[in-house]
Amino acid sequence: MIRRKDRVCPVEMAGALDIGIRKCFQNPEKILSPLIRTGMTVLDFGCGPGFFTLAMARLVGPSGKVIAADLQDGMLDIVRNKVRGLDIENRVLFHQCPENALDVREKVDFVLAFYIMHEHPDPTSVFKEVAAILNPGGCILIVEPPFHVSRKAFAKTVNDAESQGFALAGSPRVFMGMTAMMKR
Ligand SMILES: C[S@@+](CC[C@H](N)C(=O)[O-])C[C@H]1O[C@@H](n2cnc3c(N)ncnc32)[C@H](O)[C@@H]1O
């Protein structure tokens, strides 16, 4: 079912997602290091200003890749500027998504969907696309903000993923996050 999108976080709000103190309660390395290994290709779906993208690039190492994907080119520009000149620059690929789809063709080992699914107009089609590009054993970690998303709405998102062949494989603890790790 296609949901009406509530709102898309504007580029002007990017700074709020990127404040230093966020690392104290949502440490990207701590959240992602159990899930990302050297050499993986990983997707940061709805990457925003790249709060998680840079940590993902460090975790995949020089032989891995991160696809930073977002609807808004303004968000991607922020990430482009952040990685420019860093040793991780060549590991980060940029992808601007159309509004209703993911449209990534590359096979990936892990997908992060942090605070994005409630903004997406068609989660079911995203999960269908993710199912098609995930390598065997891969997973998607969905994290939604409890201050914007009700438990019922979160359960519906998990249901949408299940309708595309995913099963709940865990629920890692994230401060200010309802989480679902989904595997095929
Ligand atoms: C609340 S921000 C979260 C950013 C980042 N994941 C974080 O946690 O810092 C949501 C992001 O999802 C992006 N987004 C919203 N709808 C999207 C869509 N249909 N396709 C791709 N990205 C989308 C927005 O542009 C925004 O950058």
Side-chain angles (χ1 to χ4, degrees):
M1 185 183 77
I2 298 190
R3 273 202 300 240
R4 198 180 68 78
K5 92 185 143 159
D6 296 315
R7 75 182 185 103
V8 171
C9 178
V11 175
E12 295 71 39
M13 288 286 290
L17 292 164
D18 228 6
I19 44 168
I21 197 168
R22 187 176 175 194
K23 280 209 171 128
C24 301
F25 56 90
Q26 289 181 343
N27 185 293
E29 271 86 2
K30 212 165 150 188
I31 294 169
L32 298 172
S33 58
L35 303 168
I36 298 180
R37 301 268 168 275
T38 306
M40 279 185 171
T41 296
V42 298
L43 170 64
D44 188 3
F45 178 50
C47 62
F51 181 75
F52 291 95
T53 315
L54 274 73
M56 291 168 87
R58 278 184 225 106
L59 289 167
V60 296
S63 56
K65 247 186 309 193
V66 182
I67 303 166
D70 205 283
L71 174 69
Q72 302 181 86
D73 199 39
M75 291 293 195
L76 295 175
D77 266 345
I78 295 172
V79 189
R80 279 188 197 101
N81 288 332
K82 272 188 182 173
V83 301
R84 189 164 298 127
L86 299 182
D87 57 345
I88 56 168
E89 183 176 4
N90 295 336
R91 298 172 210 171
V92 184
L93 310 178
F94 295 90
H95 173 77
Q96 187 172 10
C97 304
E99 188 181 332
N100 292 314
L102 176 59
D103 199 32
V104 168
R105 303 287 148 82
E106 194 149 351
K107 290 277 182 186
V108 299
D109 300 296
F110 171 72
V111 178
L112 178 67
F114 206 107
Y115 285 3
I116 187 220
M117 293 316 299
H118 64 288
E119 293 188 10
H120 202 281
D122 192 359
T124 302
S125 75
V126 168
F127 293 126
K128 186 176 182 181
E129 286 189 74
V130 170
I133 61 167
L134 260 189
N135 282 324
C139 69
I140 175 167
L141 175 62
I142 306 162
V143 183
E144 288 284 76
F147 43 91
H148 276 328
V149 177
S150 67
R151 281 188 177 279
K152 197 173 161 197
F154 184 66
K156 166 80 174 72
T157 299
V158 171
N159 237 273
D160 290 341
E162 286 168 344
S163 77
Q164 298 308 311
F166 286 92
L168 189 64
S171 182
R173 267 188 186 211
V174 172
F175 184 70
M176 305 259 262
M178 292 180 284
T179 71
M181 172 134 72
M182 310 290 303
K183 283 193 175 172
R184 298 238 325 144

